[in-house]
Amino acid sequence: MNNANTQAATSEWQELDSRHHLHPFTDYKALKRKGSRIIVRAEGVYLWDSDGNRILDGMAGLWCVNIGYGRREMAQVASEQIQQLPYYNNFFQTTHPPSVELSRMLSEITQQHLNHVFFTCSGSEANDTVVRMVRRYWDLLGQPEKQIIISRYNAYHGSTVAAGTLGGMQAMHDQSVVLLPGVEHIMQPHWYEEGGDLSPEQFGIKAARALAEKIEQLGVDKVAAFIAEPIQGAGGVIIPPETYWPEVTKICAEYGILLVADEVICGFGRTGEWFGSDYYEIAPDLMPMAKGLSSGYLPIGGVMVSDKIAETLVDKGGEFAHGFTYSGHPVAAAVAVENIKIMQRENIVTRVRDEIGPYFKKKWAELEAHPLVGEARSLGLLGALELVKDKNEREFFDPKLEVGNRCRDICIENGLVMRAVADKMVVSPSLIIQKEQVDELVELAGKCLDLTQHMLDNTSS
Ligand code: PXG
């Protein structure tokens, strides 16, 4: 396509898109003014838009394309599975090889006590399944009054009614008239924003103790479970202080409530271990996952279920009245199997832990020297920058200035996808990113921070 043709196609697509397509998590008025960017192709860690611009995808799609774009093996497996058996379900005592094989592999790569999986099509459905399963479990044990699930403010667990209620996103709660009953929220372990004069270690304990206080307040006989992401992703890559998870796991054990680790973002190598739970030595009772399970090539999610819960469901229960038409879809499952094989063959997880993760950490930390950056934190291949007005005083910008969103727009104009969560800039690149590409990412981020600073200087003068 020559350039003129591409331009024509872009405006035509934009026009049709604007006329017919309601996008997820999008300000429709703003989109109508600007028009969508149309992504037409991707390879490795790069995207190409319909105007031929190459963009470094610092987000691996939406935190999911762990093995990178353009893997021919994945296309091959999907094509073969579609020809062999494009669809059959796992209801009513049937199964098929891709579901069986994927279940086996997941039992192998997860902790020893996690040997069963319930398949879904997304992370949201995985968390809906968590709600159903947690309540079913306590019911089967003769404690149906144990209903409440404790979660955290600024957590993200998905967009269905149940998952949206579990999450602690105020904007979502404000727009949902009916929230699921029996969900309570406690503080998040976000030291930079909420730590005040406490050291990170002291603050980690304080944030964990909020769980014990909530359980005491509600009564342990009413509390079923605690759910949390090992590291909050969509909330802004909130890496908890080292003291947080040991204290939380201790509290869950002491009170005998279930612990649910939402691994939708942290799972499949993101932290340099297979799961965030392995990194933090959490032994979850339930482990929802999605995204990296298929590296986003096809939609699939699931919940890993501990032996304790699986045995209760099997031995004490009759039918578990829950499931989706596409639970364990054969094509998605086959693609997920191939994804895990690729990760194993190429030692992708170990490479994140020993090589590219430490390299990324060092380079990312350099951005903390920038006058706009109050903190540059990272773990594995997750990174965040706190954009602040005054880094010495830890003074934040007026949210009305939308500094994060403006920085994000500058990034994309300059060939980099970096996501803004309010005034936090976050990245989560594909796990196959090379050192030169990390250099490129950090260099582009630095340039875009300069441009953001320049824009702010010009606005205020
Ligand atoms: N749990 C976690 C921890 C997530 O990050 C979900 C559950 C829901 O998964 P599904 O597959 O239903 O989307 C997620 C999803 C963002 C962004 O902008 C993050 C997610 C999804 C969409 C956008 O950061 N996380």
Side-chain angles (χ1 to χ4, degrees):
M1 263 194 279
N2 69 33
N3 207 35
N5 278 345
T6 327
Q7 296 287 350
T10 299
S11 57
E12 208 173 303
W13 274 320
Q14 283 175 327
E15 162 64 18
L16 286 171
D17 185 71
S18 158
R19 217 182 303 155
H20 302 296
H21 182 188
L22 289 174
H23 293 233
F25 279 99
T26 295
D27 176 338
Y28 295 132
K29 235 184 240 160
L31 183 69
K32 202 164 180 189
R33 266 200 314 274
K34 277 202 305 202
S36 302
R37 181 174 302 271
I38 297 147
I39 303 299
V40 292
R41 185 164 77 81
E43 189 70 37
V45 295
Y46 295 105
L47 308 166
W48 280 264
D49 70 14
S50 53
D51 293 330
N53 298 307
R54 192 186 80 157
I55 303 160
L56 174 54
D57 184 4
M59 284 303 296
L62 270 180
W63 326 74
C64 56
V65 187
N66 290 9
I67 59 168
Y69 297 100
R71 295 283 192 151
R72 305 293 177 262
E73 315 92 296
M74 298 285 270
Q76 183 72 24
V77 163
S79 158
E80 281 166 14
Q81 187 58 46
I82 286 173
Q83 293 172 65
Q84 175 81 22
L85 179 72
Y87 176 75
Y88 202 73
N89 63 71
N90 293 311
F91 285 48
F92 319 131
Q93 314 198 352
T94 50
T95 191
H96 47 65
S99 279
V100 178
E101 178 61 0
L102 183 57
S103 312
R104 184 190 66 79
M105 280 180 116
L106 287 170
S107 310
E108 250 166 41
I109 63 170
T110 55
Q111 294 173 18
Q112 273 194 351
H113 67 292
L114 300 169
N115 290 302
H116 292 79
V117 57
F118 190 102
F119 287 118
T120 67
C121 316
S122 68
S124 300
E125 286 176 6
N127 281 318
D128 275 45
T129 302
V130 161
V131 174
R132 301 282 325 269
M133 218 175 249
V134 159
R135 292 184 176 169
R136 172 91 176 139
Y137 171 77
W138 288 116
D139 193 25
L140 287 172
L141 289 183
Q143 292 174 270
E145 66 291 349
K146 270 173 105 66
Q147 289 262 321
I148 299 174
I149 301 179
I150 300 175
S151 178
R152 304 178 300 183
Y153 294 112
N154 199 36
Y156 188 73
H157 296 296
S159 267
T160 52
V161 172
T165 309
L166 285 179
M169 296 292 175
Q170 199 53 49
M172 290 175 74
H173 290 190
D174 289 346
Q175 286 184 15
S176 199
V177 184
V178 185
L179 291 174
L180 197 72
V183 177
E184 297 277 335
H185 294 86
I186 58 170
M187 70 186 291
Q188 57 172 337
H190 187 5
W191 176 78
Y192 190 77
E193 234 172 66
E194 300 177 24
D197 294 331
L198 297 180
S199 69
E201 292 73 25
Q202 290 168 327
F203 177 72
I205 297 288
K206 177 182 165 187
R209 294 309 303 169
L211 174 60
E213 286 157 24
K214 193 58 140 185
I215 298 171
E216 289 290 343
Q217 180 204 329
L218 297 164
V220 68
D221 51 327
K222 300 271 190 319
V223 180
F226 174 60
I227 182 168
E229 304 150 81
I231 294 168
Q232 285 151 266
V237 181
I238 316 295
I239 303 170
E242 288 298 324
T243 48
Y244 181 73
W245 274 111
E247 189 67 15
V248 165
T249 49
K250 202 171 85 194
I251 292 166
C252 289
E254 267 171 23
Y255 286 96
I257 65 165
L258 299 176
L259 176 52
V260 185
D262 182 340
E263 294 276 2
V264 170
I265 283 180
C266 294
F268 299 93
R270 180 70 42 209
T271 65
E273 301 290 339
W274 273 100
F275 295 91
S277 295
D278 304 335
Y279 180 87
Y280 286 113
E281 298 182 5
I282 306 163
D285 296 291
L286 293 170
M287 208 169 83
M289 59 200 174
K291 296 192 188 279
L293 170 56
S294 65
S295 283
Y297 276 61
L298 282 177
I300 183 167
V303 183
M304 288 309 295
V305 180
S306 65
D307 293 342
K308 176 172 91 175
I309 295 182
E311 277 158 25
T312 306
L313 291 175
V314 174
D315 296 343
K316 292 193 189 298
E319 178 174 317
F320 181 41
H322 180 72
F324 307 99
T325 302
Y326 304 123
S327 286
H329 188 282
V331 185
V335 158
V337 165
E338 184 61 21
N339 175 59
I340 296 171
K341 281 188 187 159
I342 290 172
M343 294 189 76
Q344 288 173 327
R345 207 160 51 226
E346 299 179 10
N347 288 319
I348 286 179
V349 182
T350 320
R351 181 176 168 273
V352 172
R353 187 188 64 200
D354 296 341
E355 243 177 82
I356 199 71
Y359 186 76
F360 172 74
K361 182 163 212 64
K362 189 176 93 197
K363 298 295 293 186
W364 190 250
E366 289 170 10
L367 292 169
E368 202 167 279
H370 196 279
L372 267 183
V373 177
E375 183 179 71
R377 57 177 175 265
S378 68
L379 199 154
L381 283 181
L382 283 168
L385 307 172
E386 294 275 354
L387 305 189
V388 290
K389 190 167 174 193
D390 182 336
K391 61 198 282 180
N392 297 321
E393 300 296 322
R394 235 198 269 178
E395 186 189 345
F396 298 95
F397 285 108
D398 179 348
K400 281 200 217 86
L401 287 174
E402 293 205 38
V403 175
N405 279 347
R406 289 156 85 185
C407 179
R408 177 202 59 201
D409 292 347
I410 289 172
C411 288
I412 193 116
E413 288 310 320
N414 286 275
L416 172 67
V417 175
M418 188 152 66
R419 163 140 160 58
V421 179
D423 292 342
K424 300 177 214 15
M425 303 309 298
V426 302
V427 291
S428 163
S430 286
L431 308 185
I432 48 91
I433 192 168
Q434 301 298 310
K435 284 185 177 165
E436 314 80 73
Q437 294 166 337
V438 169
D439 294 346
E440 188 188 344
L441 190 161
V442 171
E443 206 180 296
L444 274 171
K447 174 181 160 190
C448 295
L449 289 169
D450 286 345
L451 291 169
T452 306
Q453 178 77 66
H454 188 68
M455 174 205 67
L456 288 168
D457 292 345
N458 285 347
T459 335
S460 55
S461 60

